[in-house]
Amino acid sequence: MKLTGRLSWFLLAFGAWSWMVWVTFAKNLWADSAHQAFTNGDHSHPTAFFWIHLALTIVSFALGTAIGVIGLRGVLAARRATQ
């Protein structure tokens, strides 16, 4: 499959955006300011809320990474084609 340069840059930007958003989300989940992720303040008893959102974060990291790598490979291939 051949990606256009515009699509490759979009996929690369999407991958970077995904990492930026989900790193922030993971930090906020760990900070637990709403007291939903842990039953007490010492992070020793995670709730179902925590595990579900941790799973969402991990899957989003994986998808963001995969999409970003596809975009990066497309950008690099487009550069090689123009040289």
Side-chain angles (χ1 to χ4, degrees):
M1 173 192 267
K2 198 170 192 180
L3 298 175
T4 64
R6 181 183 240 174
L7 179 59
S8 296
W9 279 108
F10 173 78
L11 293 175
L12 184 60
F14 178 86
W17 174 259
S18 179
W19 266 85
M20 190 172 66
V21 167
W22 287 100
V23 165
T24 303
F25 183 82
K27 286 179 185 178
N28 291 339
L29 180 64
W30 188 256
D32 188 30
S33 61
H35 304 291
Q36 292 178 320
F38 301 98
T39 56
N40 55 15
D42 65 0
H43 297 93
S44 63
H45 294 58
T47 63
F49 177 89
F50 173 81
W51 291 115
I52 290 168
H53 286 83
L54 181 64
L56 287 170
T57 302
I58 292 168
V59 168
S60 295
F61 278 143
L63 291 174
T65 300
I67 290 169
V69 167
I70 292 168
L72 178 62
R73 290 178 66 186
V75 167
L76 294 175
R79 268 197 194 156
R80 281 191 301 268
T82 59
Q83 290 178 351

